[in-house]
């Protein structure tokens, strides 16, 4: 069973979205030991003993810096991809607290936004990086 279906259907964590089912769009991104992974391609048998964080876990104690920046910059348009985008951004900032535009473009390139909010996503990541500095 893919982790995505376990999270959504068994645990009821519906913040993680189904997008393409092939790990190409990023809508299903979660953190596995702090690193972004595609939950639609991660089998349950491979996550035993690993820490899995969903969007619900990122905001367990209120919005984090990335989520606050997302709202302040008004990133979402339709919003469907945003949980995956946020999880990818959280992973990026944990490994590169002060990313360049190139770092952001590279890290976020696997997360597709059909609405094209890429400039706002980049601006929000820069803002979140300033807040966590």
């Amino acid at each position: 069973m893919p982790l995505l279906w376990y999270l959504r259907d068994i645990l009821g964590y519906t913040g993680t979205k189904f997008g393409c089912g092939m790990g190409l769009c990023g809508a299903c991104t979660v953190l596995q030991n702090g690193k972004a992974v595609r939950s639609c391609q991660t089998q349950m048998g491979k996550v035993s003993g690993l820490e899995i964080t969903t969007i619900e876990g990122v905001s367990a104690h209120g919005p984090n810096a990335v989520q606050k920046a997302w709202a302040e910059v008004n990133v979402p348009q339709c919003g469907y991809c945003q949980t995956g985008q946020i999880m990818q951004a959280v992973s990026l900032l944990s490994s590169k607290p002060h990313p360049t535009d190139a770092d952001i473009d590279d890290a976020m390139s696997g997360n597709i936004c059909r609405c094209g909010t890429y400039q706002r996503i980049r601006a929000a990541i820069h803002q979140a990086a300033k807040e966590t500095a």
Side-chain angles (χ1 to χ4, degrees), residues 40-83:
C40 73
Q41 295 295 297
T42 303
Q43 297 302 310
M44 283 299 298
K46 305 258 182 188
V47 299
S48 180
L50 302 177
E51 180 181 332
I52 303 297
T53 307
T54 66
I55 192 73
E56 291 89 352
V58 166
S59 58
H61 304 291
N64 72 3
V66 174
Q67 291 170 307
K68 288 176 187 174
W70 239 248
E72 290 169 9
V73 176
N74 197 27
V75 172
Q77 193 161 318
C78 84
Y80 195 81
C81 70
Q82 296 307 306
T83 57

Side-chain angles (χ1 to χ4, degrees), residues 5-19:
W5 298 125
Y6 182 79
L7 293 171
R8 291 182 60 79
D9 295 345
I10 307 298
L11 297 181
Y13 293 160
T14 57
T16 304
K17 305 298 183 199
F18 174 79

Side-chain angles (χ1 to χ4, degrees), residues 85-99:
Q85 300 278 2
I86 289 169
M87 297 306 288
Q88 188 72 43
V90 168
S91 178
L92 166 63
L93 290 174
S94 71
S95 64
K96 290 191 179 203
H98 303 286

Side-chain angles (χ1 to χ4, degrees), residues 21-38:
M22 297 183 296
L24 302 173
C25 72
C28 68
T29 303
V30 298
L31 302 180
Q32 178 179 295
N33 289 346
K35 304 278 186 207
V37 297
R38 304 300 188 249

